[in-house]
């Protein structure tokens, strides 16, 4: 059997068919808007991840361009994401920046392979409880990581461990800067109250309505960032800025520089690589599904999207970029701004490039407290906090998986949380399926003497074999045949088959025949392939319970076998 790989066909090729001036104008307008929105987020995500602000911008430029040009969605915007902050920070702390770049490139290879092998649909099999749990956990960690800059604390390097972070923050509380807190809270409040959209009324259109509509088209994050930067520069406020910590942002194109690679270091980066690839796949495909529900266009191709994410993460580290994926906030902004095709995402990347070439020196005065306020808003929007209030309405397994994944993400890391969450989900699923399997006895008064009939319901698999193993104890004295009615047995696995074989051997020693009635196609196919039907005998698998009564064991006149 030959392996069928996913053909590499970007959605851009289909989107350009019938492309006209109206679509171009809409895409350019949306791309310019998203590019402006992405600027403060790219810097904030990079700084919070423990790298330089320009690395976030270069990631948004390079990876954002490639994800739009090569991806499987019409409107998805790619770039650095808030979900990666905790992961990237931990990798930088433990392995160093060079190994982060290597892990990102290796994760890109893994993502491309997942798409080429048509594994995009498998990401959807991760339970929603695990996704909610680790998303909320990451949001909490992002919020905690911003306390340092929000309060203006003098901490040289914040550790990655949750409890150690709290201890370090508490130990440096005496370095609190009231001015930084004021700037951060002012930016947070401005982003919260700034109009996100505004519908013009049909009548009484005055200057106030026009002003509101104009404000709704200007991103609140940009307004907050510009005002905070102007206040810091003009009033010489005593707060830490991008210039004081990083020396500013280079006013040039990102330089191509391949990170040094060795197999020795690569072998130590298996866990970080898998973590980046897994989170990137989940985030990008969740984002693409959200976009599908907002636009009237063909649904995204998950495999092509994964291949584009792979290419982007392979190329971005060569320019100093950090991991990239689809971003829900910027994608929604892109859709609401009127984007139609991937051209909008390409324009967004080119807009960021133009801003870097023209306005990079202005970033010197951007206060880090302002970026902390913006990131707190991002973290709050990232979490699905209502799910905690709704937990009482759900089952114990649901609550256990969600809360377990949440606390493990906060206390340990995403990889441990997802691994344990998946194990818990499997255990609870097995338990639930085992409870659905039932063995129901028929009324003895309705049966011929010497016959016992049990009806099987559900799926006989490794988690339910105990109920079959308990059957010999229920077979009374004088029983000549045990009939299993399997009309409602929908599936059988090898463990279930082994339990039936063991049941047959036990009953045979006691002189009791085993007869299977009304066996469905899947269990019957497994029995035939394993040879169990031959062991039972030709007349031991019958079409109905009534036919089972004609079995040799119930017919005294039949010749002995």
């Amino acid at each position: 059997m030959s392996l069928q790989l996913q053909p590499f066909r970007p959605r851009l090729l289909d989107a350009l068919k019938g492309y006209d001036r109206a679509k171009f104008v809409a895409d350019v307008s949306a791309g310019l808007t998203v590019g402006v929105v992405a600027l403060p987020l790219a810097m904030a995500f990079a700084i919070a991840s423990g790298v330089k602000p320009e690395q976030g911008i270069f990631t948004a430029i390079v990876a954002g361009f490639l994800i739009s040009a090569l991806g499987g969605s019409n409107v998805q915007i790619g770039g650095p994401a808030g979900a990666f902050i905790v992961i990237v920070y931990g990798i930088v702390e433990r392995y160093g920046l060079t190994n982060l770049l290597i892990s990102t490139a290796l994760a890109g290879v893994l993502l491309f392979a997942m798409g080429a092998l048509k594994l995009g649909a498998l990401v959807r099999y991760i339970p929603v409880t695990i996704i909610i749990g680790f998303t909320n956990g990451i949001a909490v960690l992002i919020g905690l990581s911003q306390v340092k800059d929000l309060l203006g604390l003098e901490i040289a390097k914040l550790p990655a461990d949750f409890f150690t972070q709290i201890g370090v923050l508490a130990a440096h509380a005496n370095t609190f800067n009231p001015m930084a807190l004021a700037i951060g809270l002012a930016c947070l409040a401005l982003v919260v109250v700034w109009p996100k959209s505004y519908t013009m009324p049909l009548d009484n259109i005055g200057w106030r309505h026009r002003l509101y509509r104009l404000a709704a088209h200007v991103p609140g994050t940009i307004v907050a960032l510009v005002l905070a930067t102007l206040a810091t520069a003009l009033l010489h406020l005593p707060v830490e800025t991008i210039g004081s910590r990083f020396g500013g942002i280079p006013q040039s194109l990102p330089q191509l520089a391949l990170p040094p690679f060795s197999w020795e270091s690569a072998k130590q980066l298996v866990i970080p690589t898998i973590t980046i690839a897994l989170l990137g796949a989940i985030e990008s495909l969740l984002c693409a599904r959200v976009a599908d529900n907002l636009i009237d266009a063909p649904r995204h191709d998950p495999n092509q999207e994964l291949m584009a994410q792979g290419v982007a993460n392979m190329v971005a580290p060569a320019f100093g970029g950090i991991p990239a994926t689809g971003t829900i906030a910027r994608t929604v902004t892109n859709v609401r701004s009127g984007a139609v095709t991937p051209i909008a995402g390409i324009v967004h990347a080119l807009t960021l490039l133009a801003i870097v070439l023209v306005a990079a020196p202005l970033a010197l005065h951007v206060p880090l407290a302002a970026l902390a306020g913006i990131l707190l808003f991002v973290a709050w929007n990232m979490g699905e906090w209502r799910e905690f209030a709704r937990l009482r309405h759900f089952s114990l397994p649901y609550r256990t998986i969600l809360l377990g994944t949440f606390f493990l993400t906060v206390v340990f890391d995403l990889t441990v949380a997802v691994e344990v969450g998946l194990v818990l989900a499997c255990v609870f699923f097995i338990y639930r399926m085992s409870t659905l399997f039932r063995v129901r006895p028929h009324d003895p008064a309705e049966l011929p003497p010497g016959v016992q009939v049990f009806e099987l319901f559900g799926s006989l698999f490794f988690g339910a074999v105990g109920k079959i193993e308990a059957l010999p104890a229920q077979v009374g004295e004088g029983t000549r045949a045990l009939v299993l009615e399997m009309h409602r047995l929908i599936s059988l696995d090898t463990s279930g088959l082994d339990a039936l074989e063991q049941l047959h051997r036990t009953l045979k020693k006691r002189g009791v025949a085993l007869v299977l009635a009304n066996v469905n196609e899947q269990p019957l196919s497994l029995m035939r392939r394993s040879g169990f039907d031959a062991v039972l005998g030709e007349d031991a698998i019958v079409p109905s319970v009534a036919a089972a009564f004609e079995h040799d064991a119930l017919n005294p006149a039949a010749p002995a076998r």
Side-chain angles (χ1 to χ4, degrees):
M1 182 177 63
S2 61
L3 181 64
Q4 296 293 327
L5 298 179
Q6 172 77 11
F8 190 86
R9 183 175 177 81
R11 182 59 57 87
L12 179 63
L13 299 178
D14 297 323
L16 290 178
K17 296 178 181 178
Y19 198 71
D20 54 24
R21 182 177 181 277
K23 291 181 179 180
F24 178 73
V25 171
D27 285 337
V28 170
S29 175
L32 292 172
T33 302
V34 179
V36 174
V37 171
L39 178 64
L41 295 179
M43 291 191 296
F45 291 157
I47 293 172
S49 299
V51 299
K52 295 180 179 180
E54 63 263 26
Q55 290 181 263
I57 298 177
F58 292 162
T59 303
I61 294 172
V62 178
F65 180 91
L66 292 173
I67 289 173
S68 293
L70 305 178
S73 171
N74 277 50
V75 293
Q76 175 147 276
I77 300 295
F84 274 122
I85 288 176
V86 179
I87 306 301
V88 172
Y89 191 90
I91 294 174
V92 172
E93 280 286 291
R94 183 174 301 179
Y95 301 99
L97 178 59
T98 299
N99 285 327
L100 167 67
L101 301 180
I102 295 174
S103 292
T104 303
L106 293 175
V109 175
L110 187 56
L111 282 166
F112 188 90
M114 290 171 62
L117 295 173
K118 302 183 179 181
L119 300 180
L122 294 182
V123 177
R124 298 180 182 177
Y125 294 155
I126 298 178
V128 67
T129 48
I130 295 178
I131 295 175
I132 293 173
F134 79 65
T135 301
N136 286 6
I138 289 173
V140 169
L141 292 174
I142 291 174
L144 180 64
S145 70
Q146 297 312 298
V147 172
K148 169 182 173 292
D149 289 333
L150 182 70
L151 301 180
L153 303 181
E154 296 178 6
I155 302 175
K157 191 72 173 178
L158 198 64
D161 179 69
F162 174 74
F163 293 110
T164 308
Q165 277 189 8
I166 294 178
V168 171
L169 291 172
H172 291 80
N174 60 324
T175 63
F176 164 63
N177 185 342
M179 189 60 65
L181 178 62
I183 292 175
L185 292 180
C187 289
L188 175 60
L190 184 58
V191 173
V192 171
V193 303
W194 192 261
K196 306 298 185 297
S197 61
Y198 187 72
T199 303
M200 186 71 78
L202 298 177
D203 54 1
N204 192 26
I205 301 177
W207 66 270
R208 183 176 300 174
H209 294 295
R210 298 183 185 278
L211 182 61
Y212 267 93
R213 185 173 68 173
L214 178 62
H217 282 81
V218 180
T221 52
I222 287 296
V223 175
L225 194 66
V226 169
L227 293 179
T229 302
L230 288 176
T232 302
L234 297 178
L235 302 178
H236 303 287
L237 300 179
V239 294
E240 193 172 17
T241 65
I242 287 180
S244 63
R245 181 182 292 185
F246 301 102
I249 294 176
Q251 192 176 6
S252 62
L253 292 170
Q255 299 298 313
L256 178 64
L258 296 176
F261 177 82
S262 69
W263 282 112
E264 288 301 318
S265 61
K267 287 187 290 186
Q268 301 176 8
L269 300 175
V270 173
I271 297 300
T273 297
I274 294 176
T275 303
I276 293 173
L278 178 63
L279 184 57
I282 293 172
E283 286 290 312
S284 64
L285 297 185
L286 283 178
C287 177
R289 290 174 66 183
V290 170
D292 287 341
N293 296 328
L294 298 176
I295 61 174
D296 183 18
R299 298 186 67 83
H300 75 282
D301 180 345
N303 297 312
Q304 181 63 41
E305 190 62 37
L306 287 182
M307 287 192 287
Q309 301 285 340
V311 173
N313 282 284
M314 282 189 279
V315 175
F319 296 92
I322 58 179
T325 186
T327 57
I328 294 179
R330 275 160 278 175
T331 298
V332 171
T333 301
N334 190 40
V335 173
R336 291 178 177 173
S337 299
V340 182
T341 73
I343 295 295
I346 295 175
V347 172
H348 132 269
L350 296 177
T351 301
L352 283 171
L353 178 60
I355 292 174
V356 168
L357 295 178
V358 174
L362 301 179
L364 285 172
H365 303 291
V366 173
L368 298 181
L371 295 177
I374 293 173
L375 273 184
L376 286 176
F377 178 74
V378 172
W380 176 259
N381 279 343
M382 178 187 296
E384 298 187 41
W385 312 112
R386 294 180 182 176
E387 292 299 320
F388 288 137
R390 298 174 57 214
L391 282 177
R392 64 181 184 275
H393 301 300
F394 294 97
S395 64
L396 176 62
Y398 183 96
R399 296 195 296 267
T400 303
I401 296 172
L402 195 153
L403 292 176
T405 307
F406 170 75
F407 286 116
L408 287 171
T409 301
V410 172
V411 176
F412 293 99
D413 58 50
L414 174 67
T415 307
V416 173
V418 172
E419 288 173 351
V420 175
L422 286 174
V423 170
L424 287 175
C426 291
V427 169
F428 283 126
F429 177 76
I430 292 170
Y431 172 75
R432 176 60 177 161
M433 292 300 295
S434 67
T435 60
L436 294 177
F437 175 74
R438 291 183 295 132
V439 179
R440 188 182 71 180
H442 281 204
D443 186 357
E446 301 176 355
L447 301 174
V451 179
Q452 283 188 259
V453 178
F454 291 90
E455 192 170 0
L456 306 187
F457 296 81
S459 176
L460 179 51
F461 69 113
F462 62 90
V465 295
K467 296 180 181 179
I468 296 297
E469 294 171 348
L471 278 181
Q474 303 178 44
V475 177
E477 293 294 332
T479 300
R480 289 177 291 163
L482 176 67
V483 180
L484 298 182
E485 209 286 324
M486 295 186 168
H487 175 62
R488 292 181 175 84
L489 183 71
I490 58 176
S491 67
L492 176 72
D493 73 352
T494 53
S495 296
L497 178 65
D498 182 70
L500 290 178
E501 292 173 343
Q502 181 61 41
L503 175 64
H504 172 62
R505 288 192 292 268
T506 303
L507 293 177
K508 188 176 181 180
K509 292 177 182 179
R510 295 169 54 178
V512 179
L514 177 63
V515 182
L516 308 182
N518 211 351
V519 185
N520 284 317
E521 180 179 352
Q522 188 274 332
L524 183 59
S525 173
L526 181 57
M527 292 176 190
R528 287 173 174 167
R529 284 182 280 117
S530 66
F532 183 53
D533 61 333
V535 174
L536 281 178
E538 297 177 359
D539 59 345
I541 299 179
V542 296
S544 66
V545 173
F549 297 155
E550 301 176 4
H551 189 271
D552 292 349
L554 300 178
N555 186 359
R561 287 181 175 272

